[in-house]
Amino acid sequence: MTNKNHAWFERACRVLPGGVNSPVRAFGAVGGEPPFVVSGAGPYMYDVDENRYIDLMGSWGPQILGHAHPDIERRLERTLKLGTSFGACNPLEVELAELVCKFVPSVEMVRMTSSGTEATMAAIRLARAATGRALIVKFEGCFHGHSDPLLQSAGSGVATFNLPDALGIPGAISALTKQVPFNDPEAVRELFAEHGEEIAAVILEPVAANMGVVPPNEGFLEALRSVCDEHGALLIFDEVLTGFRVDLGGYQAVSGVTPDLTCMGKVIGGGLPVGAFGGRRELMQQIAPAGGVYHAGTLSGNPLAMAAGIGTLETLAANNGAAYTHLNRLADKLDAHLAKTFAEAGIPARVQRARSLLTVYFTEPDKPVTNFAEAKATDTAFFARYFQAMLAEGVYLPPSNFEAWFLSTAHDDEVLHQICVAHDRALERLS
Ligand code: HOZ
């Protein structure tokens, strides 16, 4: 790390806990100091020392069109000139809501928030109000933001830093969240057999992507749908990561399983702070002021975030969703190259995918990782070495094995070739 990055990290550590504003940005699990990024263009990011990185982190998901996409920039410039926030109704929030309702199967009405955390928090409040029940079922290793009821056995930064679940969270609140292993419908059925009358909702990422990428086993989502229906509980999909990433309709469109409520974020804000939750009209009408369940936010529906979101969704929808064909094709190529070269190098590695979302686990290639316990049993220490070797070759991966890699439409075949070359060199460094 050259001088300017180091100096910025020292300054940051004096005024920001751990030098960061969100734990996953720190290099705690991979070692070293994080670069300080000053700009991005297409598939690249640049740090204060003018190092260029091919970005496979994509701001943890939102940058599906790459950095500084010209159409998004134009929309933001136009919107910016009109004012940054009014705290009053604005046409852009209606336009983005219309797009979300059009594309996401479960969503007839939507409420914009400022983050994914806020979206899941409000969706749970709504589920509790709608059912008159208190318990929530959550899956180990799924991450739904940092609200009190959802931090237990959480993935993402909580898993990366191996943090205790409950610091600062009263036991009475934790007791209302029941945890079960991902991909274990039997455990869910047993829980319902015991507490069926008390369970308000089952919440999950339909593809777990905060313990690395763990797709649902065949029939798992269907089983959850039917157990919720049987017991009058709501099914909540947290599609903050999968929404508009795996398909315009999210993973619910891919799987054909429709939840009662859907939480979104990331891509729908085109790189600006945003979140949203939505569902059937009859449920969403219970949100204030239409109904009595309170959710509010000064910056909810912020015009800049809405403008970036509209531009992003319209671009993704153009040409019959050609963007997704491109993303999936690149992911296929990357997956094939990684699998082949790891095998040739004698490194046990397994690429797990949900369309263009992917993770490499250092484990036996033919043994699927299906839950949090299995993800934690993979060789994360080797991932740290691989991460550093890739960074040294100019590729910025998410600095944790419990995260997904993100491609963008700005990554083309030439950039993919550069990633593959960097990877091959990284393997040489590791040999
Ligand atoms: N929620 C993101 C994906 N795991 C990480 C972003 C963050 O926590 O800063």
Side-chain angles (χ1 to χ4, degrees):
M1 185 66 49
T2 44
N3 286 339
K4 285 191 195 156
N5 270 306
H6 178 67
W8 275 107
F9 191 55
E10 281 198 335
R11 272 177 74 176
C13 286
R14 281 198 283 275
V15 288
L16 301 169
V20 293
N21 277 311
S22 193
V24 292
R25 294 176 201 175
F27 277 24
V30 291
E33 295 179 351
F36 278 68
V37 175
V38 283
S39 67
Y44 303 111
M45 291 198 296
Y46 299 84
D47 71 13
V48 288
D49 286 314
E50 293 173 26
N51 295 308
R52 187 189 83 170
Y53 305 96
I54 299 175
D55 184 9
L56 285 179
M57 193 169 67
S59 186
W60 305 93
Q63 300 291 23
I64 195 165
L65 304 180
H67 297 282
H69 186 277
D71 178 57
I72 306 301
E73 281 195 337
R74 262 192 307 275
R75 286 171 188 263
L76 283 173
E77 277 162 17
R78 214 165 49 220
T79 310
L80 182 65
K81 291 205 176 87
L82 301 172
T84 55
S85 175
F86 309 115
C89 300
N90 74 80
L92 294 173
E93 63 190 356
V94 182
E95 285 179 28
L96 183 58
E98 285 170 349
L99 287 173
V100 172
C101 293
K102 175 174 162 194
F103 292 129
V104 184
S106 65
V107 177
E108 291 177 345
M109 297 188 94
V110 63
R111 168 61 59 89
M112 299 297 168
T113 66
S114 297
S115 70
T117 291
E118 215 189 302
T120 55
M121 192 171 75
I124 278 178
R125 184 177 301 140
L126 174 56
R128 284 174 163 157
T131 58
R133 301 172 179 181
L135 296 187
I136 300 296
V137 179
K138 173 195 178 289
F139 292 87
E140 294 162 0
C142 279
F143 179 73
H144 305 291
H146 61 87
S147 69
D148 285 359
L150 294 172
L151 265 183
Q152 298 175 53
S153 294
S156 192
V158 182
T160 298
F161 290 89
N162 198 17
L163 299 174
D165 301 326
L167 271 187
I169 302 173
I173 289 179
S174 303
L176 297 177
T177 305
K178 302 286 176 197
Q179 303 158 68
V180 275
F182 196 74
N183 273 325
D184 188 345
E186 254 336 287
V188 179
R189 284 200 195 96
E190 279 167 25
L191 205 52
F192 269 91
E194 203 180 333
H195 297 286
E197 305 274 277
E198 303 158 78
I199 296 172
V202 172
I203 183 167
L204 79 160
E205 303 171 70
V207 174
N210 283 286
M211 50 171 135
V213 174
V214 178
N217 286 345
E218 183 95 32
F220 177 57
L221 299 179
E222 289 80 356
L224 298 182
R225 182 65 276 176
S226 69
V227 84
C228 283
D229 289 345
E230 227 172 277
H231 293 271
L234 299 188
L235 181 61
I236 306 176
F237 277 5
D238 176 346
E239 296 234 40
V240 167
L241 278 169
T242 48
F244 297 98
R245 163 65 60 177
V246 294
D247 186 275
L248 271 180
Y251 199 75
Q252 55 198 264
V254 176
S255 65
V257 176
T258 306
D260 299 292
L261 293 171
T262 299
C263 303
M264 291 156 279
K266 312 264 188 200
V267 171
I268 59 160
L272 275 84
V274 93
F277 63 101
R280 287 194 307 279
R281 185 173 306 281
E282 139 269 316
L283 281 172
M284 292 305 292
Q285 288 283 30
Q286 297 182 41
I287 295 292
V293 181
Y294 209 68
H295 163 268
T298 302
L299 293 172
S300 297
N302 172 265
L304 286 167
M306 298 298 103
I310 293 164
T312 302
L313 299 200
E314 286 183 348
T315 305
L316 291 170
N319 305 320
N320 286 324
Y324 294 103
T325 312
H326 174 79
L327 289 166
N328 298 340
R329 188 180 60 78
L330 284 191
D332 287 346
K333 281 178 85 170
L334 181 57
D335 178 348
H337 184 80
L338 295 174
K340 175 170 169 285
T341 49
F342 278 128
E344 284 167 359
I347 297 170
R350 177 178 173 82
V351 181
Q352 293 209 170
R353 297 263 306 275
R355 300 213 162 162
S356 70
L357 278 176
L358 83 141
T359 289
V360 179
Y361 288 111
F362 293 99
T363 186
E364 293 311 317
D366 51 357
K367 199 164 157 270
V369 173
T370 64
N371 61 34
F372 195 30
E374 290 168 3
K376 284 196 289 191
T378 64
D379 190 349
T380 53
F382 189 83
F383 172 80
R385 293 181 56 214
Y386 175 67
F387 171 89
Q388 288 296 349
M390 287 293 271
L391 193 70
E393 294 296 340
V395 178
Y396 201 122
L397 300 174
S400 163
N401 213 166
F402 300 129
E403 302 285 356
W405 301 10
F406 298 99
L407 289 156
S408 80
T409 55
H411 293 71
D412 58 13
D413 287 292
E414 171 50 31
V415 175
L416 194 83
H417 175 70
Q418 292 168 21
I419 295 169
C420 292
V421 170
H423 162 83
D424 295 347
R425 291 200 184 126
L427 291 193
E428 278 167 30
R429 283 174 183 262
L430 292 171
S431 65

